[in-house]
Amino acid sequence: MRLGVLDVGSNTVHFLVVDAHPGAAPLPAYSHKAELRLAELLDEQGAISAAGVEKLIGMIASSLRVAEDKGVVDILPFATSAVREAANGEAVLRRVAGETGVELRVLSGQDEARLTFLAVRRWFGWSSGRLLNLDIGGGSLEIACGLDEQPDAACSLPLGAGRLTARWLPGDVADPEQLRGLRKHIRAEIATVVGEISRLGAPDHAVATSKTFKQLARMTGAAPADAGPYADRRLTRSNLAAWLPRLSAMTVAERAQIPGVSEGRAKQLLAGALVADAAMDLFGLDELDVCPWALREGIILRRLDAMDSAADRRRPALTS
């Protein structure tokens, strides 16, 4: 069947069309997205601005037209940190439903972590043993660890690259005092969950998901996107640490010239790098494998699992 996944994230609103059926990997068929950066469109009261809401409704309306054109039979719409934590989040949801007919499901931070973990487990398989996954979004950092398809621990911290940039690094070049304060803040937040994750034991395989990690890996020498999803991509802490002083001294325009870094995300790159560096340090990770699947794939896989379970109930029991 052809599914559409409407992901209203803190950085990007992304409508992904996939061909999928139970027991098979979902295959991307068409991508329609816009970098609205909702996490940066909050007013002083923490509400998504009127301009931001208008952009969101326009993007959802255009996604519905794409769905019709591409033969999508079902849409899975969800929203993450920016809508979840906005002061006017409920009002935004009502307006979106009223003007587009789309009822966005707002995921909790733990739901994000669990569904992303499911996608990572399916990508790397059982041979990876105990998995630890890190995901830096625009509004939050998700961390999950476990041996099964459901993590034994899953948590979400308000350490998204967009959120931190808007609050701590508003200028074109990072101010040293602001940078020092941000680094201290990030490490204090991550330290609150290190014990919960570490008590599970050392991971057999440490993984990273999200656009931020993909760009950091590319910046430090990983294969470009056109090498395909099966190319090995890895981020090492030593390479990342070597880049941090350079990133700190760069303007936003200079960061946008780094291979693999998009102009829309260049401003957030430094904050994302600080979060990645702190997480790798505090969890004792020398390297992270970058997984091409993340939250959207987790949503699709969960839906396919539900379809498969329903089909199983209709099948006759196995006989000897």
Side-chain angles (χ1 to χ4, degrees), residues 155-319:
C155 53
S156 178
L157 298 171
L159 296 177
R163 177 201 296 266
L164 296 178
T165 300
R167 177 180 173 187
W168 292 87
L169 303 173
D172 190 44
V173 179
D175 175 82
E177 286 301 315
Q178 290 176 319
L179 198 60
R180 190 175 299 112
L182 175 56
R183 184 180 185 276
K184 180 179 178 181
H185 170 72
I186 290 169
R187 287 171 176 265
E189 284 281 345
I190 294 175
T192 63
V193 300
V194 168
E196 178 184 357
I197 302 297
S198 297
R199 68 177 177 79
L200 301 174
D204 299 304
H205 194 178
V207 179
T209 48
S210 75
K211 186 71 170 181
T212 294
F213 272 118
K214 290 176 182 177
Q215 291 190 341
L216 292 173
R218 177 72 184 101
M219 178 185 76
T220 57
D226 59 14
Y230 300 108
D232 286 336
R233 294 179 175 89
R234 193 165 289 109
L235 176 66
T236 67
R237 183 159 184 257
S238 59
N239 285 342
L240 179 59
W243 263 91
L244 277 172
R246 297 170 62 184
L247 284 178
S248 301
M250 286 180 173
T251 64
V252 173
E254 288 170 336
R255 291 178 213 156
Q257 299 304 309
I258 299 171
V261 176
S262 66
E263 183 178 355
R265 290 177 181 259
K267 188 174 179 63
Q268 302 180 9
L269 189 66
L270 177 56
L274 289 170
V275 174
D277 178 67
M280 294 179 78
D281 184 18
L282 292 173
F283 286 111
L285 305 172
D286 293 325
E287 63 180 28
L288 294 164
D289 280 337
V290 179
C291 180
W293 281 4
L295 179 58
R296 282 185 292 273
E297 287 77 15
I299 294 278
I300 296 166
L301 292 167
R302 178 64 73 226
R303 171 60 187 275
L304 294 177
D305 287 349
M307 290 172 55
D308 206 22
S309 296
D312 281 342
R313 288 193 293 271
R314 294 193 295 269
R315 295 184 186 117
L318 294 174
T319 57

